[in-house]
Each structure stands twice: as C-alpha cells, then as structure tokens.
Amino acid sequence: DISEAHPAFIAFVGAATTATLFFPDAPMAHHSQRASCVLHRLDFCKPVGWHDMAPVTDGKYSVECYLDALDSCYATLRKKLNDREIFQITDYNVFHTGGGFHIVKKAFERLLRNERPECRGTEREELTEKRLHPSCHILKRVGPCHTVSSFLNIGSVVMSKMEQALGK
C-alpha cells in the first residue's frame, strides 16, 4: 500500500507490505471475533477534476469518524463476547490506522476509557506501554500504511515480543 502526498510531505509517507498466515495451533493466536463498521461520511475526498493527487481532507473530522467507528466496533464486540471486557481476553491491542501513531494512541486511550474509566496516571502509562507500544514500532518508523496497517502492526508485536507473545 503506497500513500501519495503533496511533495512538501513526501518524507512522511510510508509504504509496506505484509503476508500473514493463519492456521490451527499457531504459536500466536489471533482472536476469532470480529466487528466492522461502515459510516456514511466523507472525511476526505477527491472532487471531479481535482488538481492534486492528495485528497481534500478535514483532519479533525477524520479522527472523529475513526473514533466513532471504533466505538461502534467496541460495542459490537462486547455484545459478541457476552459483555466481557476486551482487556480480559487480549494481551496486546492492535489498531488499523490511516494516520500516524497519535491516532492509534487516541484509539487505545478511547478503549481504555471504555474498559477501565477509573484508570489514571502510572497505571494508564503501564497499560499503554505493555498493550499498545509493541504494535507501533514499525508504524513509528515507516509511517501510515493505510490498508496494510493492521497486519503490519500485528507484525510489530510478533517482532518485538516474540518470546513473550508465543502462546498468547
């Protein structure tokens, strides 16, 4: 997946590819429950005849759309899991992102507020370090990779926590 950007921002554009094999008894389990969300919103677009490869965007609105979709997926997953907490069944939290690390961090913080509203300070920082950061090493180096980002961020967990992640 290759992002296109205005020449002034080309240094911030990343590209990556990944292949993922899913098979029974894999050394690192991928949770089988899924949730998806489709919102009828235009947070970026390319009008007919648009003069630039980069789309017209509204960054703040894009983040709102992303977080609204996250909330919807969270609610769906909780229903599928008979209202069990996501944190009870996961060791790492990996997010898709078309943006950078700051968007993934906002998503994790939103999940943390939903799961553990009383969590503050040092405990919050420790959970972020333990559950989120392993998935962001590649993202921080390569930048946003859009379509492939979820798999790339899973790869980051595998590469950075292989010994601890086996059997999880």
Side-chain angles (χ1 to χ4, degrees):
D1 185 14
I2 299 174
S3 303
E4 295 187 43
H6 187 278
F9 302 106
I10 202 70
F12 302 106
V13 173
T17 185
T18 184
T20 305
L21 299 174
F22 295 97
F23 53 92
D25 302 320
M28 187 172 169
H30 190 273
H31 200 281
S32 63
Q33 294 295 336
R34 306 269 189 286
S36 59
C37 173
V38 176
L39 301 172
H40 185 68
R41 300 184 187 170
L42 291 172
D43 61 319
F44 66 91
C45 65
K46 287 187 182 180
V48 174
W50 186 239
H51 63 279
D52 201 338
M53 288 303 294
V56 177
T57 61
D58 180 343
K60 185 177 181 200
Y61 184 62
S62 288
V63 172
E64 287 176 24
C65 292
Y66 178 80
L67 294 175
D68 288 349
L70 178 73
D71 289 341
S72 175
C73 289
Y74 174 77
T76 301
L77 273 177
R78 287 293 297 256
K79 284 180 191 172
K80 287 182 174 183
L81 297 169
N82 297 319
D83 212 32
R84 285 188 5 212
E85 287 187 357
I86 305 295
F87 279 4
Q88 287 178 346
I89 61 164
T90 60
D91 295 297
Y92 304 100
N93 302 108
V94 178
F95 297 88
H96 164 81
T97 181
F101 172 70
H102 64 289
I103 303 297
V104 171
K105 189 169 185 222
K106 282 180 186 277
F108 180 77
E109 288 170 351
R110 183 76 147 250
L111 177 64
L112 189 55
R113 277 194 303 276
N114 286 334
E115 292 276 308
R116 300 191 180 156
E118 73 289 344
C119 183
R120 303 268 189 273
T122 305
E123 182 186 8
R124 177 185 220 106
E125 290 172 19
E126 288 172 0
L127 284 170
T128 303
E129 183 66 33
K130 179 183 172 194
R131 291 177 162 275
L132 176 67
H133 284 199
S135 74
C136 298
H137 296 298
I138 298 172
L139 170 64
K140 287 180 177 179
R141 292 187 67 106
V142 175
C145 295
H146 306 280
T147 306
V148 76
S149 71
S150 295
F151 294 106
L152 194 68
N153 294 341
I154 291 168
S156 180
V157 172
V158 172
M159 288 181 249
S160 66
K161 296 289 184 180
M162 179 55 90
E163 296 302 317
Q164 297 95 328
L166 289 175
K168 300 272 183 184

